[in-house]
């Protein structure tokens, strides 16, 4: 059993958005005050809230989980990937973390995130969407770590990824990570009329070509 001082040591959390544009990877890293050997049988997870301007694709996430590249729960599990920012709601993601082989008391996880379309702006060509610091959670069903310094958390998720394995999750005290900002391109409001005209012309042209090809090569009974 570990001493209280070891458990009470604040964790250090960092988050970083990789790549550029609408499609990014959110890299989360946590440095705990205990080693992964002491955490044998424990599960570490990050609970992060994604603002309406950012979403995760559940189909992409399911594909990654089938290949054991990531494991996460999204609440709600039904995500409208086509909704613009002003019609979307925030998402709650529980991301299971893996031990970092380069550090005996560190854990890491990567989550693919995507930017939503925003309303056109008057002057700005981009908007900034802030990602706040995640909450770090831990459950130790097969371990006897002292929990005097951890706050119980109501999380309905499996410990160790086993849906039939109930366990108490705890919120780990940590220094908040710096906010990350996702820069998303937006259109200019003054270009709205031009965009509508060009879209209409392109639609009429493509429809005419399809109709002409159907009349020329189609077989009608």
């Amino acid at each position: 059993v570990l001493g209280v001082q070891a458990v009470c040591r604040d964790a250090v959390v960092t988050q970083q958005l990789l790549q550029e544009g609408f499609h990014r990877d959110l890299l989360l890293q946590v440095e705990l005050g205990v080693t992964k050997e002491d955490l044998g049988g424990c599960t570490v997870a990050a609970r992060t809230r994604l603002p309406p301007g950012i979403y995760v694709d559940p189909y992409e996430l399911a594909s990654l989980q089938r290949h054991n590249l990531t494991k996460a729960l999204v609440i709600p599990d039904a995500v409208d990937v086509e909704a613009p920012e002003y019609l979307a709601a925030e998402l709650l993601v529980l991301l299971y973390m893996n031990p970092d082989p380069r550090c005996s008391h560190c854990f890491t996880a990567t989550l693919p995130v995507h930017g939503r379309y925003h309303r056109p702006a008057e002057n700005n060509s981009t908007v900034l969407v802030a990602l706040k610091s995640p909450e770090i959670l831990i459950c130790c069903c097969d371990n006897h770590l002292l929990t005097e310094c951890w706050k119980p958390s109501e999380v309905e998720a499996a410990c160790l990824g086993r849906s039939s394995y109930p366990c108490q999750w705890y919120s780990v005290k940590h220094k908040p990570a710096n906010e990350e900002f996702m820069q998303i391109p937006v259109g200019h409001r003054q270009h709205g009329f031009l965009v509508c005209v060009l879209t209409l012309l392109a639609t009429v042209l493509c429809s005419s070509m399809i109709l002409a090809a159907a009349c020329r090569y189609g077989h009608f009974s």
Side-chain angles (χ1 to χ4, degrees):
V1 179
L2 295 178
V4 175
Q5 284 188 335
V7 178
C8 288
R9 191 181 306 166
D10 286 357
V12 179
V13 180
T14 59
Q15 62 178 355
Q16 182 181 6
L17 280 170
L18 309 177
Q19 288 89 47
E20 298 291 338
F22 280 91
H23 310 289
R24 313 285 291 273
D25 284 331
L26 175 61
L27 175 63
L28 293 175
Q29 296 174 304
V30 57
E31 182 180 346
L32 297 176
V34 292
T35 65
K36 62 182 179 182
E37 287 77 13
D38 295 323
L39 291 172
C42 297
T43 299
V44 179
R47 182 164 60 175
T48 183
R49 294 186 181 274
L50 300 181
I54 300 177
Y55 72 96
V56 292
D57 187 336
Y59 303 103
E60 178 186 22
L61 202 58
S63 176
L64 292 174
Q65 293 187 140
R66 282 195 300 269
H67 293 86
N68 294 322
L69 297 177
T70 188
K71 183 169 180 58
L73 297 177
V74 181
I75 304 172
D77 54 0
V79 180
D80 186 353
V81 299
E82 301 293 337
E85 176 270 341
Y86 47 88
L87 295 179
E90 72 173 16
L91 299 175
L92 181 63
V93 180
L94 182 69
L95 182 62
Y96 290 88
M97 308 190 75
N98 298 314
D100 189 339
R102 300 166 297 180
C103 174
S104 64
H105 52 283
C106 301
F107 293 78
T108 182
T110 303
L111 179 70
V113 295
H114 309 275
R116 293 189 183 274
Y117 290 106
H118 286 62
R119 293 184 186 274
E122 288 290 349
N123 300 312
N124 297 331
S125 58
T126 60
V127 295
L128 295 178
V129 181
L131 273 173
K132 296 183 178 180
S133 177
E135 179 186 8
I136 303 303
L137 301 171
I138 188 170
C139 66
C140 299
C141 296
D142 301 332
N143 204 314
H144 300 286
L145 289 175
L146 295 178
T147 57
E148 284 83 353
C149 299
W150 297 347
K151 180 181 178 181
S153 181
E154 295 182 2
V155 178
E156 295 182 2
C159 185
L160 307 176
R162 288 177 285 183
S163 58
S164 60
Y165 202 106
C167 186
Q168 174 65 60
W169 288 84
Y170 292 88
S171 180
V172 178
K173 185 179 179 182
H174 66 278
K175 300 175 182 178
N178 293 331
E179 285 188 345
E180 276 286 292
F181 293 91
M182 188 171 184
Q183 191 174 35
I184 300 177
V186 296
H188 289 277
R189 191 167 298 168
Q190 58 268 31
H191 296 160
F193 178 76
L194 178 61
V195 171
C196 290
V197 170
L198 292 177
T199 302
L200 179 60
L201 292 176
T203 302
V204 172
L205 177 61
C206 293
S207 300
S208 301
M209 294 176 65
I210 294 173
L211 182 60
C215 292
R216 183 174 181 180
Y217 301 106
H219 299 282
F220 304 97
S221 56

